Amino acid sequence: MHEETQLFYTFTSPNIIHMASRRNFLKQGSTALAAMAIPAFSNKISLAEISAALKSKSNHSAENLAGDEDFWAMIREAYTVSPNIINLNNGGVSPQPQHVQEMQWKYIQMSNEAPSYYMWRILDQGREPLRQKLADLAGCSAEELAINRNATEALDTVIFGLPMKAGDEVILTKQDYPNMINAWKQREKRDGIKLVWLNLDLPQENDDYFVDQFAGAVTDKTRIVHVTHMINWMGQIQPIRKIADAVKKKNQNIEVLSDSAHTFAHFDYKIPDLGCDYWGTSLHKWLCAPFGTGLLWVKKEKIAGLYPLFANDNPASDDIRKFEAQGTRSFPAEEAIGYAVDFHNAIGSDRKEGRLRYLKNYWTGKVKDIPKVKIHTSLKDQYSCAICGVSVVGTEPVELDTFFFNRYKIHTVAINWENIHCVRVTPNVYTSLKELDKLVAAISDAAKNGVK
Ligand SMILES: Cc1ncc(COP(=O)(O)O)c(C=O)c1O
């Protein structure tokens, strides 16, 4: 029974599908299938259907497909979208396609039959193929990727793992993510490193602005430059490659850490293109993977010099797996990441990016010229993608956000952080134009009639 079960699950894993021979599966899998009584997927739309639909549109550019409502209505079907509430806070955390939810749930049920057996001996067999699958998407070596639980864990590994001495300088901005700011502040307190703060004036549509800010703060003591690839508060994309090149030109000892929590599987790029040394992301944001999944990338030659956050027997090892000693965690969540990658790949990175831009341009195009409405994000492709900030003159962000929900059942988030004050609007691939029309109506209503 165990061997058969193992074969069955081996065969159904999105990560190790090629490791089981079809012959073995046919020979032994049918018994296992009956024994485990796993129902057929109940998702309304399958990857095969998405792939077939895409094939029929193979002569459509990502740009053309971006406005193909039939295609995107089919993608929407793959999610379990609330019929009552319009979710426009996908920037916080994104939902998983139903297929991903179901596979995680199946792994949970399987694990609960005998957790140490199924999690450690069966599910964990998928870790290496999953690493490769993520590496293929990220455009890097699998030997540079560690699977973590969120972006905070990935980035804290770098922030706390870098050997630094008192007086070493880190350049960061007031617009970075609070968890990361707090981690650096803790190092400042404990180790006497110096934090050199930039205060960005956003939005910006000029690469030189960012380059000048970061490069201008470099000294011979600068050790790390922390760059938030996409500013979460309002979606500004920073020109990280240019920033990295400029600061390294001024001081070649500098290393660059990219907080890419918001960019992986959001818009199309490969990690090595960024010119950074360390990179961390969430997988429960734009990849739509299970909640509590993230990824750390460390440039191969930097792995040995970075201490793991959770110690193992050889902290100076150059094996990326030393960053995965977190102890017991959710193997079902981790293993189901593979299904989210499959789903993402079925759409395609460029097509997803095209649709996300289309959605943002759709609603902003309808409201940007309404009196009192202010857009807080550049609408140029180079500087933003799905995330965009909006406000109504004379209305506090919290009031506007509350108005959206109470009056229109639109869920957004109010942003009041440093010099950024707006409501952040984030659609995702399942968002319909009808939902955005409602947002447009809500913004118009607020601008014309107030929110009281
Ligand atoms: C820029 C940025 N960095 C880091 C994080 C932390 O991500 P996680 O919740 O996956 O740890 C977030 C979360 O929103 C973020 O926006």
Side-chain angles (χ1 to χ4, degrees), residues 321-335:
R321 293 159 193 80
K322 75 179 181 183
F323 301 116
E324 292 177 351
Q326 296 100 337
T328 306
R329 63 242 190 217
S330 175
F331 286 83
E334 203 169 273
E335 186 66 8

Side-chain angles (χ1 to χ4, degrees), residues 359-370:
L359 294 174
K360 180 202 60 197
N361 291 336
Y362 180 84
W363 74 264
T364 54
K366 287 182 189 283
V367 302
K368 70 180 169 39
D369 296 324
I370 296 175

Side-chain angles (χ1 to χ4, degrees), residues 152 156 159-161 164 170 172 178-195 197 309:
T152 301
D156 275 2
I159 294 171
F160 291 114
M164 291 177 79
V170 175
L172 70 172
N179 285 7
M180 288 37 266
I181 287 178
N182 291 336
W184 281 119
K185 281 184 174 169
Q186 190 167 305
R187 273 216 84 167
E188 180 184 43
K189 210 171 197 164
R190 289 179 73 170
D191 301 330
I193 62 166
K194 186 177 166 199
L195 301 185
W197 294 97
L309 195 56

Side-chain angles (χ1 to χ4, degrees), residues 51-218:
S51 300
L54 273 170
K55 230 179 209 160
S56 73
K57 294 172 193 295
S58 56
N59 56 347
H60 287 45
S61 64
E63 214 177 355
N64 283 343
L65 196 68
D68 184 332
E69 293 316 309
D70 288 346
F71 176 75
W72 296 103
M74 184 185 72
I75 296 295
R76 181 179 171 88
E77 279 297 299
Y79 285 83
T80 49
V81 181
S82 167
N84 308 317
I85 289 169
I86 298 176
N87 179 22
L88 291 176
N89 187 16
N90 290 278
V93 57
S94 281
Q96 299 134 48
Q98 184 167 349
H99 182 56
V100 177
Q101 296 173 40
E102 286 178 352
M103 292 317 294
Q104 185 186 359
W105 181 235
K106 280 169 190 161
Y107 288 154
I108 288 171
Q109 289 175 314
M110 179 176 88
S111 299
N112 276 291
E113 289 187 11
S116 68
Y117 177 78
Y118 286 112
M119 290 205 304
W120 294 341
R121 295 201 192 169
I122 308 293
L123 286 183
D124 207 28
Q125 294 299 312
R127 177 181 297 261
E128 293 310 318
L130 174 60
R131 194 188 310 282
Q132 185 59 56
K133 195 172 225 186
L134 288 163
D136 291 344
L137 183 57
C140 62
S141 160
E143 293 303 315
E144 297 176 311
L145 282 184
I147 301 162
N148 283 181
R149 292 172 295 189
N150 48 53
T152 301
E153 185 170 276
L155 296 164
D156 275 2
T157 296
V158 182
I159 294 171
F160 291 114
L162 284 164
M164 291 177 79
K165 58 180 190 318
D168 283 352
E169 294 179 5
V170 175
I171 301 173
L172 70 172
T173 80
K174 297 197 166 191
Q175 288 72 27
D176 292 325
Y177 192 69
N179 285 7
M180 288 37 266
I181 287 178
N182 291 336
W184 281 119
K185 281 184 174 169
Q186 190 167 305
R187 273 216 84 167
E188 180 184 43
K189 210 171 197 164
R190 289 179 73 170
D191 301 330
I193 62 166
K194 186 177 166 199
L195 301 185
V196 178
W197 294 97
L198 304 177
N199 192 7
L200 301 176
D201 184 15
L202 303 173
Q204 287 290 337
E205 298 184 335
N206 180 358
D207 287 356
D208 290 344
Y209 170 81
F210 296 99
V211 170
D212 292 349
Q213 289 277 324
F214 282 94
V218 168

